[in-house]
Amino acid sequence: MSEGSSNSTHFGYKTVEAEKKADLVADVFHSVAAKYDIMNDVMSFGIHRLWKRFTIESAGARPGMKVLDLAGGTGDLTAKFSHIVGNTGQVTLADINDSMLKVGREKLRNRGVVGNVNYVQANAEALPFPDNHFDIITIAFGLRNVTDKDAAIRSMLRVLKPGGKLLILEFSKPQHDLMRKVYDLYSFKILPKMGDIITQDAGSYEYLAESIRMHPDQETLKGMMIDAGFEQVEYTNMTDGIVALHKGYKF
């Protein structure tokens, strides 16, 4: 059953009305947008850069391609793709949260990333793009915040060209008991304190830790992609499965 198919859904460990989740998630990211990049580096000890680099390498983008960086936030993947696809290609940074889009746009323009990038405020569950439009779609650390994940995956399939590729980079389930225990201690005891110190917002980081635990595990997400119509679906665990990169094709 799709997570958004009933009248209630998860917001972290809380149960909320499905139609209210998007606004609650928006409040979290409005709150943390300005310090988002700093917190990413602090939270992951910089390892998020390696996870994203592997995602870029796995995407296989080439000059002239159209790429959708969905839930693209502050534009780390967009910046890399912009360089790869060049003047004949196009990268669309899409995010449901206008605060994150504004931070991303300002950051990329300050770095000289202009010309082949456009910015769109969009809901992943109903993407405002034509059918068969993109060569590659990436969604990095965004799917767990979507209310109806099945609808979002179907929407991504629709806007991919035949032969196109979807890459989902997301927190997942550690594979070993020791790592799970260390990760739980870090997520629920240390992370909110970091959030409080850096952003004066412990609550948003408590939500982020809880949302990771409620996200489908590796095999469940693989099955959701297959059910939506993706083929040759596989995933790669990184950092013992704290993060996984799922990849699938539209044929």
Side-chain angles (χ1 to χ4, degrees), residues 4-251:
S5 61
S6 65
N7 292 327
S8 63
T9 189
H10 298 292
F11 176 72
Y13 287 163
K14 300 182 184 75
T15 299
V16 299
E17 292 178 36
E19 64 269 20
K20 292 183 178 178
K21 177 171 178 174
D23 289 337
L24 292 168
V25 171
D27 289 342
V28 169
F29 285 93
H30 286 313
S31 173
V32 303
K35 299 283 182 71
Y36 188 76
D37 285 336
I38 296 170
M39 276 300 294
N40 273 350
D41 279 328
V42 172
M43 283 191 307
S44 71
F45 307 102
I47 300 172
H48 75 100
R49 297 175 185 274
L50 300 178
W51 298 332
K52 290 172 181 174
R53 184 185 302 167
F54 181 72
T55 302
I56 294 287
E57 291 169 354
S58 299
R62 298 189 302 277
M65 282 188 165
K66 290 181 179 176
V67 179
L68 173 62
D69 181 14
L70 185 56
T74 57
D76 285 347
L77 295 182
T78 290
K80 300 285 189 186
F81 282 128
S82 172
H83 177 71
I84 293 168
V85 303
N87 294 333
T88 58
Q90 186 178 57
V91 184
T92 299
L93 194 167
D95 202 292
I96 196 171
N97 188 279
D98 64 315
S99 295
M100 295 292 284
L101 273 179
K102 287 171 184 170
V103 171
R105 185 188 297 120
E106 182 177 4
K107 171 181 155 184
L108 294 185
R109 287 177 177 174
N110 287 342
R111 289 170 55 180
V113 180
V114 294
N116 65 351
V117 176
N118 62 320
Y119 302 86
V120 177
Q121 188 170 359
N123 185 334
E125 297 173 25
L127 292 170
F129 306 111
D131 294 358
N132 307 314
H133 187 68
F134 294 103
D135 298 286
I136 296 167
I137 297 175
T138 58
I139 178 166
F141 306 115
L143 186 62
R144 73 181 187 281
N145 298 311
V146 175
T147 304
D148 191 338
K149 296 173 180 61
D150 293 302
I153 295 169
R154 290 194 302 269
S155 189
M156 293 178 227
L157 182 76
R158 179 185 64 79
V159 302
L160 267 179
K161 293 178 181 178
K165 185 188 304 183
L166 169 65
L167 298 104
I168 301 174
L169 179 67
E170 189 54 89
F171 292 108
S172 201
K173 300 295 185 284
Q175 298 301 289
H176 295 93
D177 286 340
L178 179 59
M179 178 64 86
R180 274 194 286 270
K181 289 173 182 173
V182 171
Y183 187 45
D184 282 347
L185 175 67
Y186 172 73
S187 298
F188 292 107
K189 300 297 183 184
I190 299 171
L191 182 59
K193 288 185 172 65
M194 286 183 179
D196 191 30
I197 292 167
I198 295 173
T199 68
Q200 288 75 57
D201 184 1
S204 288
Y205 286 92
E206 288 172 0
Y207 158 72
L208 292 175
E210 291 173 4
S211 71
I212 291 166
R213 299 315 188 280
M214 300 305 293
H215 186 68
D217 66 14
Q218 289 90 328
E219 284 293 325
T220 303
L221 181 54
K222 178 180 177 179
M224 291 165 67
M225 291 174 68
I226 293 169
D227 289 345
F230 282 94
E231 298 183 42
Q232 294 182 15
V233 178
E234 58 185 19
Y235 61 85
T236 302
N237 284 321
M238 293 179 273
T239 319
D240 196 54
I242 285 176
V243 165
L245 178 66
H246 283 69
K247 180 168 63 175
Y249 294 85
K250 175 179 177 176
F251 293 124

